[in-house]
Amino acid sequence: MTEQRRPLDDELVQTAAHVARTRCRGDNHTMAAAARTRDGRIVTAVNAYHFTGGPCAELVLIGAAAAQGAYELDTIVAVGDRDRGVVPPCGRCRQVLLDYFPALEVIVGHGDDLRTVLITDLLPESYVWADHQLDAE
Protein backbone atom coordinates (compact mmCIF):
# COMPACT_ATOMS: atom_id res chain seq x y z
CA MET A 1 0.00 0.00 0.00
CA THR A 2 1.42 3.40 -0.97
CA GLU A 3 -0.51 5.70 1.33
CA GLN A 4 0.21 9.37 0.88
CA ARG A 5 -0.55 11.74 3.78
CA ARG A 6 -3.27 14.23 2.96
CA PRO A 7 -4.80 17.00 5.07
CA LEU A 8 -7.31 15.81 7.67
CA ASP A 9 -10.83 17.26 7.53
CA ASP A 10 -11.43 17.61 11.29
CA GLU A 11 -14.86 19.16 10.74
CA LEU A 12 -15.97 16.06 8.85
CA VAL A 13 -14.81 13.74 11.64
CA GLN A 14 -16.54 15.87 14.27
CA THR A 15 -19.75 15.95 12.24
CA ALA A 16 -19.82 12.16 11.85
CA ALA A 17 -19.06 11.73 15.57
CA HIS A 18 -21.91 14.10 16.46
CA VAL A 19 -24.35 12.16 14.26
CA ALA A 20 -23.17 8.86 15.79
CA ARG A 21 -23.72 10.25 19.31
CA THR A 22 -27.08 11.87 18.66
CA ARG A 23 -28.78 9.82 15.93
CA CYS A 24 -27.58 6.24 16.37
CA ARG A 25 -30.00 4.44 18.67
CA GLY A 26 -30.20 0.76 19.46
CA ASP A 27 -29.14 -1.97 17.08
CA ASN A 28 -30.72 -0.57 13.90
CA HIS A 29 -28.41 2.43 13.57
CA THR A 30 -24.88 1.91 14.89
CA MET A 31 -22.69 3.79 12.41
CA ALA A 32 -22.71 7.33 11.06
CA ALA A 33 -20.97 8.65 7.96
CA ALA A 34 -20.20 12.17 6.81
CA ALA A 35 -18.87 13.26 3.42
CA ARG A 36 -17.76 16.55 1.98
CA THR A 37 -19.17 17.28 -1.45
CA ARG A 38 -17.19 18.88 -4.24
CA ASP A 39 -18.96 22.20 -3.52
CA GLY A 40 -18.06 22.06 0.19
CA ARG A 41 -21.33 20.88 1.73
CA ILE A 42 -21.37 18.12 4.32
CA VAL A 43 -23.84 15.24 3.90
CA THR A 44 -24.52 12.76 6.70
CA ALA A 45 -26.22 9.39 7.03
CA VAL A 46 -26.54 6.39 9.33
CA ASN A 47 -26.58 2.70 8.52
CA ALA A 48 -29.81 0.74 8.38
CA TYR A 49 -28.92 -2.58 10.02
CA HIS A 50 -31.13 -5.57 9.35
CA PHE A 51 -30.52 -9.28 9.85
CA THR A 52 -30.54 -9.66 6.05
CA GLY A 53 -27.58 -7.32 5.80
CA GLY A 54 -28.81 -3.79 5.40
CA PRO A 55 -26.75 -0.97 3.91
CA CYS A 56 -23.76 0.52 5.69
CA ALA A 57 -23.72 4.22 6.53
CA GLU A 58 -21.41 4.96 3.59
CA LEU A 59 -23.88 3.45 1.12
CA VAL A 60 -26.85 5.24 2.67
CA LEU A 61 -24.81 8.43 2.38
CA ILE A 62 -24.37 7.99 -1.38
CA GLY A 63 -28.16 7.95 -1.80
CA ALA A 64 -28.70 10.82 0.65
CA ALA A 65 -26.12 12.92 -1.21
CA ALA A 66 -27.79 12.21 -4.56
CA ALA A 67 -31.18 13.15 -3.08
CA GLN A 68 -29.62 16.53 -2.24
CA GLY A 69 -28.18 16.95 -5.72
CA ALA A 70 -24.61 16.11 -4.66
CA TYR A 71 -23.08 13.62 -7.08
CA GLU A 72 -19.40 14.35 -6.45
CA LEU A 73 -17.91 13.51 -3.08
CA ASP A 74 -14.36 14.49 -2.12
CA THR A 75 -13.88 12.97 1.36
CA ILE A 76 -15.78 10.50 3.55
CA VAL A 77 -15.51 9.17 7.11
CA ALA A 78 -17.52 6.70 9.19
CA VAL A 79 -17.76 6.77 12.98
CA GLY A 80 -19.21 4.13 15.27
CA ASP A 81 -21.74 4.79 17.99
CA ARG A 82 -20.86 4.41 21.69
CA ASP A 83 -17.63 6.36 21.14
CA ARG A 84 -16.03 3.67 18.95
CA GLY A 85 -14.32 6.32 16.84
CA VAL A 86 -13.47 6.21 13.15
CA VAL A 87 -14.19 2.88 11.47
CA PRO A 88 -12.77 2.06 8.02
CA PRO A 89 -15.20 1.08 5.27
CA CYS A 90 -15.93 -2.61 4.81
CA GLY A 91 -14.88 -4.36 1.61
CA ARG A 92 -18.26 -3.91 -0.10
CA CYS A 93 -18.27 -0.19 0.69
CA ARG A 94 -14.68 0.19 -0.52
CA GLN A 95 -15.66 -1.30 -3.87
CA VAL A 96 -18.81 0.81 -4.24
CA LEU A 97 -17.01 4.00 -3.18
CA LEU A 98 -14.24 3.28 -5.70
CA ASP A 99 -16.76 2.71 -8.49
CA TYR A 100 -18.73 5.87 -7.74
CA PHE A 101 -15.86 8.16 -6.74
CA PRO A 102 -12.45 6.89 -7.97
CA ALA A 103 -10.61 9.95 -6.57
CA LEU A 104 -12.36 9.85 -3.16
CA GLU A 105 -10.35 10.47 -0.02
CA VAL A 106 -11.22 8.37 3.05
CA ILE A 107 -10.41 9.17 6.67
CA VAL A 108 -9.12 6.12 8.56
CA GLY A 109 -7.10 5.38 11.68
CA HIS A 110 -7.64 5.38 15.42
CA GLY A 111 -7.67 8.06 18.12
CA ASP A 112 -5.02 10.69 17.47
CA ASP A 113 -3.60 8.74 14.52
CA LEU A 114 -6.27 9.64 11.95
CA ARG A 115 -5.14 10.08 8.38
CA THR A 116 -6.68 10.69 4.96
CA VAL A 117 -5.92 8.27 2.14
CA LEU A 118 -7.19 7.68 -1.37
CA ILE A 119 -9.84 5.00 -1.80
CA THR A 120 -7.41 3.21 -4.13
CA ASP A 121 -4.96 2.89 -1.21
CA LEU A 122 -7.63 0.95 0.68
CA LEU A 123 -8.31 -1.30 -2.29
CA PRO A 124 -4.97 -2.05 -4.00
CA GLU A 125 -5.03 -3.91 -7.31
CA SER A 126 -8.60 -2.71 -7.58
CA TYR A 127 -11.25 -4.10 -9.82
CA VAL A 128 -12.79 -1.05 -11.49
CA TRP A 129 -16.19 -2.07 -12.80
CA ALA A 130 -16.27 0.60 -15.52
CA ASP A 131 -12.96 -0.69 -16.95
CA HIS A 132 -14.52 -4.08 -17.65
CA GLN A 133 -17.72 -3.07 -19.42
CA LEU A 134 -18.11 -3.66 -23.14
CA ASP A 135 -18.67 -0.46 -25.06
CA ALA A 136 -22.29 -0.22 -26.11
CA GLU A 137 -22.50 0.18 -29.83
Side-chain angles (χ1 to χ4, degrees):
M1 191 159 34
T2 59
E3 287 183 9
Q4 181 180 11
R5 283 266 189 201
R6 299 172 177 282
L8 186 67
D9 190 333
D10 290 314
E11 182 184 19
L12 206 56
V13 175
Q14 294 306 315
T15 299
H18 174 75
V19 172
R21 265 191 321 276
T22 61
R23 299 294 184 250
C24 290
R25 311 257 179 190
D27 292 336
N28 291 334
H29 309 291
T30 59
M31 293 290 299
R36 188 167 302 278
T37 65
R38 178 80 32 93
D39 63 8
R41 291 180 285 160
I42 293 178
V43 177
T44 62
V46 298
N47 69 317
Y49 176 79
H50 189 262
F51 75 89
T52 61
C56 297
E58 296 93 333
L59 300 184
V60 175
L61 188 137
I62 292 171
Q68 296 175 38
Y71 299 97
E72 298 295 330
L73 303 181
D74 285 337
T75 308
I76 194 167
V77 64
V79 173
D81 67 347
R82 295 169 274 179
D83 296 319
R84 290 184 289 142
V86 171
V87 177
C90 73
R92 176 180 64 170
C93 288
R94 290 175 191 209
Q95 184 67 55
V96 173
L97 290 168
L98 173 72
D99 288 337
Y100 273 72
F101 314 105
L104 184 69
E105 295 183 341
V106 183
I107 298 173
V108 296
H110 302 284
D112 292 333
D113 188 31
L114 297 180
R115 62 198 181 283
T116 304
V117 299
L118 289 171
I119 187 66
T120 52
D121 289 338
L122 295 179
L123 206 57
E125 300 297 325
S126 302
Y127 172 86
V128 179
W129 183 80
D131 291 347
H132 299 279
Q133 302 309 301
L134 298 175
D135 292 335
E137 296 185 28

